[in-house]
Amino acid sequence: MEKTGGTRRVVVAIDDSVYSNLTMNWYAKNVWRPGDEVLLAWNVEPHPATFGTVNLMTGDPDVISKILSEQSVHIEQTIEKFQQKLIDAKVEGRVIQLHEAKAGPAIVHAAESENAGMIVCGSRGLSTLRRTFMGSVSDYILHHAHVPVLVCKFDPLQTH
């Protein structure tokens, strides 16, 4: 399942949350080893603050164009931020954009298609009740991936 030649290919699940930054930093400090190829996998979803309650089918074309332009800029800035994190951590890798309805299946599919040998993801530490209603990306990955999964759980009170 891993890339040949002794190199590990590792998918690190990211989004634009503080937990992704902590996960990437933790992986680079504690798990990464020379020769690892890191794929920062980001399931690009519309930014809720950008779209709000605008109905794209009946809205003003100028407003829709502005919203889509802002979304494009947000995506480019986020990708640049994560590419810089790889450079700063001296970690070989790249950012891959995923475009699926849900992040959990997107990350699992990316790991399979990229022949990754491991998935690393963060956890927001949701309670059992919130996880039941909202779902959990890390929980989905843990139960559906066919490779080892490392879940970095962080105390929400210590992330700020």
Side-chain angles (χ1 to χ4, degrees):
M1 284 205 158
E2 293 187 34
K3 188 176 170 184
T4 59
T7 299
R8 293 188 307 178
R9 183 172 283 167
V10 179
V11 168
V12 178
I14 60 169
D15 56 22
D16 53 1
S17 72
V18 65
Y19 298 99
S20 288
N21 289 321
L22 292 169
T23 299
M24 174 59 196
N25 293 341
W26 191 90
Y27 166 80
K29 182 178 178 184
N30 297 291
V31 180
W32 175 84
R33 63 183 184 210
D36 281 1
E37 179 185 8
V38 178
L39 305 174
L40 299 182
W42 179 35
N43 193 48
V44 180
E45 299 171 6
H47 196 276
T50 303
F51 286 94
T53 58
V54 173
N55 181 336
L56 296 180
M57 297 303 287
T58 60
D60 179 345
D62 292 333
V63 172
I64 293 170
S65 178
K66 181 180 181 213
I67 289 170
L68 294 175
S69 176
E70 289 172 357
Q71 179 67 20
S72 180
V73 168
H74 170 73
I75 290 168
E76 288 176 26
Q77 289 173 341
T78 303
I79 290 170
E80 287 174 10
K81 176 180 80 171
F82 281 110
Q83 287 172 332
Q84 189 60 50
K85 285 192 79 55
L86 288 168
I87 292 167
D88 293 346
K90 297 180 175 71
V91 170
E92 180 185 333
R94 59 190 161 94
V95 178
I96 56 175
Q97 292 181 58
L98 311 172
H99 300 277
E100 294 191 28
K102 295 190 175 198
I107 300 300
V108 171
H109 294 151
E112 290 171 357
S113 66
E114 295 285 346
N115 294 317
M118 173 190 291
I119 300 173
V120 179
C121 60
S123 173
R124 294 184 297 166
L126 297 177
S127 68
T128 304
L129 182 61
R130 290 191 76 182
R131 220 175 22 251
T132 301
F133 289 108
M134 294 176 53
S136 166
V137 173
S138 58
D139 189 61
Y140 181 92
I141 294 169
L142 188 62
H143 288 93
H144 292 87
H146 298 287
V147 295
V149 176
L150 190 148
V151 178
C152 300
K153 185 170 179 174
F154 300 101
D155 181 349
L157 300 175
Q158 296 178 352
T159 59
H160 302 290

